Structures are given as C-alpha cells and as structure tokens.
Amino acid sequence: MSGYPHGVAQATRTDPLRVLEEIKRQSLEALGGLPGTLYGPVEDALKLAVLKGDGKTNHYEEQAALWVLRQHQAAHVMRFRQQVAQAFDDFRALRIRSGGEVTLRLVDEQQLEYELASGRLNESLVARFARPLDTLQGRLQNLCEAMRVPMGANPIGPERLVAAFAQTLLDAQVSDSLRGRLFRHYETELIRVLGELYARINTLLATSGYGGAVAPPQPRPPQEDIRRGFGDGMPSPQGFGGFEGFGAPSPGPASAAGAGNFGRTLSTPMSQQEIAAMASELAQLRTQLHAWRETVPRSDASPASGGMSGADRAVMQRRELRVDEILSVASLLQAEPPDAFARALAVSGRLGETIRDHLQDGARRLGLNPDQACFSPEEEDAIDLVALLFDSLFRHNALQDRARRLYARLVLPYVKVALTDNAVFVKREHPARRLLDAITEACEGNDGETPQDRELLDRATEISQRIVADYNEDLAVFELAHAELDALLAQQRRRFELQEQRAAKATYGRERLGAARSQAETALHERLGDSSLTQAVAEFLAMPWRHHVVQTLLRDNADPRRHAEAIALGDALLMADRLAQQNRGRELADQLLALQPAIIECLASSGLDDSAAQHGMAGLVRALIDPDTSRRVRPVPPIAVPEDDAGEGERRLWLAGGTDTIRHDALLAERMRELDVGDWVRLTNAEGETTAAKVAWVSPLTSRYLLVNRRGLRVLVASVEELAALAGSNRLSIGAERTAFDEAMRQVRRHLDRATGTR
C-alpha cells in the first residue's frame, strides 16, 4: 500500500481484494445490527395501536409473535450478517454464480409474501439512492476489472440488503400485518444508514484508485515532522489508522498481519490535520509517561525488565525483545486463567508489574533467556499505558467484583493491541476502544438483580472469552464483538431512558408532596397558633383538614378555587368553635349545616366512606353543642410521614442543608448552575467509590438536579449549593467524558501530571 495519508489522491491502486474486505468490514459494522434495532420501535407501535385500536385487529397475536422474534434476536442478527457477508463472497465469485438452466419449483405463500414486500421496498430504496448507487456501480465495475472477475450484483445494493432481511425472517411465523410493520421500520433504518454508508464507500473506492479519474500523486509530507510527533524511534504513520504500534515493524506485502490489520490501514479517510493532531496527542502522552516512569521505583529489577536505563542495558549487552516475540509470548499466555491480573486490579498500581512478570515467565517458556533480553522502551510504553488504563477504569467506574475477572481476561489482548496499534489510545473510533466502552457500559453499576442485567453481564462475559479465544492481531474480532454487544445495549438503553423518566417523575412527585405538606403545615400553625379550641376541632384541623389541604394542592393544583375552599373550611371551623363558646346556638346550627357538605368531603379525602364521614361529623357536632366543653391552646402535632417516604435509602440521596446557607464556594455554585440536562459528572460517595453520573432532570419547583448513573438509576438529588459543596470537598468533578475509555484516558493523563509535578 502507498504511504500517502488518507485523503490524498494516489496514482497507484490499492490491492482490490483488500479494498473489498474493507468495504465488507465497514458494511457489516454499519448494517450488521439492524434486525436487532427493529423490535423495540415495532413493540412501541403495537402498544400504541392497542390503545387506539377499534377491536377489529388482534394486536395481541402480533405482540406474542414479536415476543417470539425477540427471543431469537441474536440468531437473527447473526443470520443477517451471514447474508450480507455472503453477498460479498458472491461478488468475489467465491461461490459459483448460477447459470444455465434454472430449476423450477413451487413457492409457498409465505415466501411469496416476502418477495412481494421485498420488491416494494427495493423499488423505494433504488429510487431514493439512485445517484450514489450509479456512482457506486461504476466504481465496483472498476474493482471487478482489477480482480479479473465478472461484475456481480452490488453486495450492499438495496436488492441484496432487502433479500438478506427477507431471508433472515423467512422461517419465522409472522402475520401479514406484523411483516408490514417490520419492513416499514427496516426501510426507516436503511434510509438512516445507507446515505452515509454509500458516501463512505464511494470515497474509499475513489481514494483507493477506483474512481472515475485518478489525480496525480501529491508529494509526501516530511517524514521528520510526523516522526517528531511520536518521539524518537517511532515509525511514521501510513495514515493515523495505520500506526503499527510501539516499535512494531511497518507492514509490507509479506507482513503476517497483512489483511488482518487492513481495518486499521484503510479506515475512513482522515485529513492531514487530524493525523497530525492525533500524532501530537500520542507524542505528548508518551512524554508524560516517560517522565512518570522516572519517578516510579521498580521492584521488577530482573534482567528482562525494562525499568533499567539505556546505559545499564548497554553495559550488560542485552538485546531488546522484538514486538513479534512479545506477541508470541502474549498469545501463549492469553488463554490461561487471569487470576493474577484480577488480583492486581484490586490493588492500584500493581497491574503493570504483574503484566511484566507474566510476559517474562512466558518468554522463558518459549526459550527466550531473560538474562539476555529486555523490553524496549516502546514495549514498556504499551504495558504501562494498558496497566494505567485498566486501573483507571476500575477506580473511576462503579464496577462490581464479577467485572474484575472479566476485565482481567482482556488485559493481554489489549497489550497486544497496544503493541501493534497504538492508535487505540487516541483514536475514538478504534474498534478495541469501542468494545471496552460497551463492556464498561454493560458492567458499570450492574449487580445482576434483574434478568436484563444478568443477560448483559452474561453477554459481556461471553464476549470477553471470545476475544481471548479468537483475537490474533485481527481487529475484526473486536468489531464483531462490539456490534453484538451494542445491539443488546441498544435495547437496554431504552429501558434506562424509561428509568430516568420514572426517577424524574418520582422525584418531582416527592417535591410537590413536600411543598404541599409545608404549605399545609404553615396554614395549620396560623390557625391553631394562640387559639383556645375544643379538642375535637383541634384534632379535626390537625389531621383530616391538614391532609385535605395537602390533597387539594396535589390534585387540584391548577384550580386555586379548590384550595381556597379548603382553607375557608378551616377558618369556618374556627368561627364555629367561637360561636359555641359564646353559646350562640342558632348561629352555630346554621354554620354547621352550611359546613356539612365540605366537612363530609374533607373526611372522605382521608379515605373514610360516607358512613364513617357521617359519624365523624356527628362527633364534631356533639363536641360543639356543649358551651362548657374545655378549651385550651393545642400544640401542632408532627405530621405522620409513611416509612417509604422517609426511608434510609431516600435520605441518603439528599445531602444535609439544601439551601444557600450551606457552606460552599459561590463561584463553584455558579459553575454548577451552568450544567445542562445530559451533562456528565464524576461523583464519589461517602465510601470513596467513584461513579459516572448524568444530569437527567432539573426540578422546575426547587431547581434541584437529579443525577442518575449509566443504568438510569437515581444517584443523587441536590441543589447547586450542595453540588458546589461536594465539588469543594473533591467529591464531585464536572466535565467528565461521555464514554468510559475517554474518561479513563483523561484520568491517566491527570495521574501522570500529578505524579511528575507538572500540575
């Protein structure tokens, strides 16, 4: 492959088979999970249809059939991916294309229905994407000529993609109406994905030399400038996606990694500015790492350790281990139990030393004498960065004990990735990076309490085992694993969003209840105050009337008339008590007769039926008809709060204070007010555990912020003053990254800066 960066026209063409493999990789990445994304929207549409239905359509049968489909979702996704992959095999003529006589056979009714639905969908998509499809057809023709095979059907054309979907569902028992819904949602998803995919594939073909006209070659950028971004000894990039790694040899035609690493060398084109920016970022990271390493005492002073200075190595005349040797050692150890790494993850700072010890032990098994070899500086960088990365993931994410072994399995595969492709530390689209983000999303805060949570943990565990078994310097393993796990996460994210909404509604309900109780308490204090009342009237005001005021505020908040009537009832009872005290019997009788409907309604709002309410009214009358009934100032009894409103779990969500009287930094409070819904922060609880939290909702009543974790579960409800107090005590940090890998690398850089005293 040419050494020109992506985005620069090349005079020579890239190997057509490698280009086709890259088109296949990008297509599977973009399209592979589509069947798994349909069931959620279809289920929502069915629920809406049930609510609006006229009873003529049996939507419940459709829901039952959809439930069966969801049970086989993983199989459908895999079958669909196989169909798409088979289209590329057919295009390469790896399968004998049909010719000659075609065997006639009967077509069953269900297949005929699928073919009719497929035909309609195909026509719609062809009309919509006519221009990019024409361009793509011409460039694929050039690709076929280069491969010296006859032109086949476009493997990602609408016809093949629609046929792939129909074949995926062909054996499923699906009613006509449900089939129509599935095809409509599939069309919506294809329209969303295909425009960008066709543009990327057309650009890829053009930049690889299979466009219309080939532009003249441009001069290479100065290699010295690119090398300077990597530090001494680093190879120049073949475009940033092609960073061979920490000291790895440049892949050539005979490279063993060859086609396996092609996903890194022929990814989406990037500009030279993007390449330079990421190269500079990586160089800065390595500089920080080297400065940090000088401050860290090493206990691994064995001859194979790279902790010695270059002068020590020269004196003892030891050679540096080659990257392919380290890869062989790591591959040997990769399938072994990860117990040592799991124990090291439990102790901050131990993982790097454990990785070195394991690699040294593996080198001995392969016959490499540790007394005569040592790690190169680039290999040291890879080991330390992976160790710091995994340490940071465990320190700054709420990962349970079960996750420790899962991550421990991935340590050596990620060391191999770092050795062969250091772009993983600075390139956000890197497949290994995306997989680690998905695994962390599946595991963070997941204690496996629900079947869905257990399914996520089981799938993440299965995927980590698959990486260990299958990874051999081919990043496609990470891409396929990420696509599978992300398809499952896509279903769960909708559930998490609903949990966020429920948390916001529950919090708002508690706030409204608290505000209503506070108003009712104030109204009661104003009326009991210094008034001398009979016991019956005081108890009525303190219990059913106070509750009635709360209910009118909650249920009839938009109707101030109802609240005014409830307040007026309390005042009228005070007047009735005074009339009784003054022995004004006729006026008292008139007053009680006028109040009877309101008193009955007040008692009924406390849950009393009509008979009990009438009995309560009679007791109030009996207490008032005797003018000699004792009267005195009654204290206001505390309000009875149900246990579920004031449980320990709820109190832990709210910090002490809650007003601007709490001690806080005013500037920090102003910064907290700038937080928007969707912003992420890092929150440390009283036990020292750190977790990512998102601003899910801001109360319109109290301006408090609701923070939830990645699973949509409530973590904290607090005012800006409380958040500022947390930030001032280093228990809350703002500006956190949205993905776990980005945040872990940010924390790694901060750790390196603090350790070297640069901050």
Side-chain angles (χ1 to χ4, degrees), residues 175-409:
S175 65
D176 292 344
S177 55
L178 181 56
R179 182 188 304 113
R181 292 182 189 275
L182 288 167
F183 269 84
R184 284 195 296 274
H185 284 278
Y186 181 58
E187 179 180 10
T188 301
E189 288 299 302
L190 282 181
I191 291 173
R192 180 181 62 83
V193 171
L194 285 183
E196 180 183 357
L197 178 63
Y198 287 156
R200 280 166 41 201
I201 301 306
N202 273 319
T203 302
L204 172 62
L205 287 166
T207 56
S208 301
Y210 298 95
V214 179
Q218 301 294 324
R220 290 174 180 262
Q223 297 300 324
E224 294 75 17
D225 292 343
I226 298 180
R227 282 197 181 95
R228 192 174 299 120
F230 290 81
D232 296 335
M234 289 299 293
S236 59
Q238 309 294 324
F240 191 84
F243 287 163
E244 291 82 13
F246 290 104
S250 299
S255 170
N261 290 335
F262 184 63
R264 300 195 302 269
T265 58
L266 193 59
S267 57
T268 304
M270 291 184 297
S271 67
Q272 292 190 35
Q273 291 80 5
E274 292 174 317
I275 296 172
M278 286 189 281
S280 176
E281 183 180 355
L282 184 58
Q284 182 183 6
L285 181 61
R286 292 190 64 203
T287 301
Q288 292 175 292
L289 191 65
H290 296 163
W292 165 78
R293 195 178 293 140
E294 295 296 327
T295 68
V296 178
R298 287 289 173 84
S299 61
D300 52 341
S302 61
S305 171
M308 299 181 179
S309 66
D312 292 333
R313 293 195 193 98
V315 170
M316 300 187 69
Q317 296 183 345
R318 289 192 303 276
R319 72 175 181 85
E320 294 179 348
L321 290 168
R322 300 192 310 274
V323 169
D324 61 318
E325 293 173 329
I326 300 296
L327 291 176
S328 298
V329 172
S331 297
L332 172 69
L333 303 173
Q334 187 168 293
E336 295 187 355
D339 298 339
F341 297 136
R343 289 191 297 268
L345 282 172
V347 181
S348 179
R350 285 281 303 165
L351 184 57
E353 182 178 343
T354 304
I355 294 173
R356 288 181 176 83
D357 290 342
H358 260 59
L359 291 177
Q360 291 165 17
D361 181 63
R364 290 188 187 94
R365 296 191 213 172
L366 288 179
L368 299 173
N369 188 349
D371 296 332
Q372 299 176 0
C374 62
F375 296 129
S376 70
E378 290 78 18
E379 292 159 356
E380 290 278 356
D381 287 350
I383 293 170
D384 281 333
L385 280 175
V386 170
L388 290 169
L389 169 68
F390 276 73
D391 272 340
S392 179
L393 282 171
F394 261 82
R395 283 199 308 275
H396 298 101
N397 294 279
L399 298 172
Q400 309 296 321
D401 286 340
R402 177 176 176 179
R404 185 178 294 116
R405 189 172 181 84
L406 187 158
Y407 280 80
R409 283 192 203 96

Side-chain angles (χ1 to χ4, degrees), residues 402-423:
R402 177 176 176 179
R404 185 178 294 116
R405 189 172 181 84
L406 187 158
Y407 280 80
R409 283 192 203 96
L410 297 173
V411 168
L412 283 180
Y414 274 81
V415 169
K416 291 168 63 178
V417 171
L419 287 167
T420 57
D421 188 4
N422 53 31

Side-chain angles (χ1 to χ4, degrees), residues 558-709:
D559 187 0
R561 180 182 60 82
R562 294 279 298 157
H563 177 61
E565 289 175 355
I567 295 296
L569 173 61
D571 294 335
L573 283 172
L574 291 177
M575 175 60 70
D577 194 284
R578 285 195 290 271
L579 291 174
Q581 184 179 12
Q582 297 168 9
N583 200 18
R584 296 160 65 181
R586 180 175 294 280
E587 294 176 60
L588 173 62
D590 293 340
Q591 178 85 338
L592 290 176
L593 286 173
L595 292 177
Q596 182 176 0
I599 292 174
I600 296 297
E601 181 185 359
C602 176
L603 291 169
S605 71
S606 296
L608 301 180
D609 59 19
D610 187 65
S611 176
Q614 292 288 352
H615 182 74
M617 176 69 186
L620 191 61
V621 171
R622 282 195 302 270
L624 289 174
I625 59 175
D626 184 0
D628 297 327
T629 302
S630 64
R631 290 174 171 80
R632 60 183 176 86
V633 176
R634 311 281 177 172
V636 177
I639 190 169
V641 179
E643 291 185 3
D644 58 351
D645 279 358
E648 180 62 25
E650 178 66 19
R651 285 197 295 270
R652 288 173 59 191
L653 296 171
W654 294 72
L655 302 176
T659 68
D660 56 4
T661 60
I662 192 172
R663 295 185 62 182
H664 66 279
D665 186 325
L667 292 178
L668 279 176
E670 286 301 318
R671 177 65 184 90
M672 296 303 160
R673 286 190 179 89
E674 296 174 1
L675 289 173
D676 292 325
V677 172
D679 287 348
W680 287 87
V681 299
R682 307 293 301 183
L683 189 65
T684 304
N685 62 17
E687 290 77 26
E689 297 174 345
T690 301
T691 186
K694 183 178 75 170
V695 178
W697 174 76
V698 181
S699 169
L701 191 63
T702 64
S703 298
R704 287 179 180 267
Y705 286 71
L706 168 65
L707 303 183
V708 299
N709 62 16

